[in-house]
Amino acid sequence: EYTPVEPETRFPMERLVRLAEKMATIPKGFSAHAKIAKLLQKRFEAVRQGEGIDWATGESLAFASLLTDGRPVRLSGQDSRRGTFNHRHSTLVDYNTTEEYTPLATLTPEGTNLWIYDSLLSEYAALGFEYGYSVTSPEALVMWEAQFGDFTNGAQIIIDQFIVAAKDKWKQDSGLVMLLPHGYEGQGPEHSSARIERFLLLAAEDNMQICNATTAGQFFHLLRRQMLQDHRTPLVVFTPKSLLRAKQSRSPVADLLSGTFEELLGDRTVDDPNQVKRLVLCSGKVAVDAEAERDRLGVPVAIARVEQLYPWPFDAVAAELARYPNATEIV
């Protein structure tokens, strides 16, 4: 039986600060939008001061850390350079000359490539291409991002026939990452659910990883784990929407300097585990909303975030259960 080896995903502080500073540096004579320039500087200051790493910063630091170690990074999607929710800003545009500048590209050593593309509006074609790219270039972090998670509807054949089944059918390995924005944020049908249940129905025999990370630090470690682990398996990530900027999803730099991706985030706000009567296992934004309601009511409930839905983290769940000897309900 194969037992995966947990890779080392932490990253040293001095290198993080150096990378963050370079990503915030805009060339002389380049007229970047003032708001974007201010945002990049704010991200650098968060890293330098050690607090408030938001989702986009965690992501860009993961990309940068891999690139500087000689690992190519490739991301495509329908609005991926800017980020659908105006959060990534990977490519800056001079508002006078329309010249483009990609800060991450300045970090790539010779022979290492960075590709970030706005793809055409065809999920079927784009996801199929990126799947093929991931198979032929296993040394690269290859990602496809849906504008909204629901848009995988247009690529379901690729998911069914290749992403979840190619390992079994053809012994074909792929480390493709699918980034699927997920969350009910008042935007209606086709812009809310990435259909987590559909992926769980397709999951079997460790054919993929299904994750719903809720903090910038978790996302940083998850992306690095994908490239540093000793095998290639597709990774489906249900990325946040409103949580992209929310304080609840921000991480201290310390989370990037130590630790690894936690498949379950236990409740660390409980002062006395013996008082807990109910343990609630949640995923994604639901956990954040449940925590707020629990705190408002002041009830003896522990809330744990299941950050990896498949493979199910049996050991981590068991360890969390063991913390509450008097709990009589599990939800």
Side-chain angles (χ1 to χ4, degrees), residues 120-254:
L120 75 166
L121 287 167
S122 169
E123 295 82 13
Y124 182 58
L127 183 59
F129 185 89
E130 300 305 336
Y131 173 80
Y133 203 103
S134 72
V135 171
T136 57
S137 301
E139 77 286 354
L141 175 63
V142 181
M143 298 160 285
W144 177 75
E145 181 178 60
Q147 195 167 40
F148 291 87
D150 314 54
F151 291 9
T152 52
N153 285 333
Q156 196 64 49
I157 298 172
I158 298 296
I159 296 167
D160 291 346
Q161 294 295 325
F162 294 92
I163 291 173
V164 306
K167 175 75 172 179
D168 188 56
K169 290 195 290 187
W170 306 302
K171 310 303 178 190
Q172 188 163 282
D173 292 318
S174 167
L176 178 71
V177 179
M178 295 176 63
L179 303 178
L180 308 180
H182 173 81
Y184 293 90
E185 314 286 2
Q187 293 172 300
E190 305 301 332
H191 292 78
S192 299
S193 176
R195 303 299 178 194
I196 294 176
E197 68 281 0
R198 189 179 294 173
F199 286 94
L200 290 175
L201 283 168
L202 293 168
E205 299 179 6
D206 294 336
N207 61 338
M208 57 180 160
Q209 307 154 89
I210 302 174
C211 297
N212 195 1
T214 57
T215 72
Q218 282 281 86
F219 193 42
F220 172 86
H221 286 295
L222 181 59
L223 290 175
R224 284 178 53 76
R225 183 182 80 166
Q226 183 65 3
M227 286 311 298
L228 300 179
Q229 60 192 355
D230 60 357
H231 62 290
R232 291 284 172 266
T233 307
L235 168 63
V236 181
V237 186
F238 300 102
T239 58
K241 289 151 69 173
S242 65
L243 285 183
L244 286 172
R245 293 175 179 81
K247 289 184 178 179
Q248 295 95 323
S249 69
R250 294 179 184 176
S251 297
V253 171

Side-chain angles (χ1 to χ4, degrees), residues 11-30:
F11 205 72
M13 180 67 176
E14 61 273 12
R15 289 186 66 188
L16 275 181
V17 172
R18 199 157 59 241
L19 295 176
E21 183 176 21
K22 287 187 176 182
M23 289 189 293
T25 301
I26 297 172
K28 289 183 178 179
F30 188 94

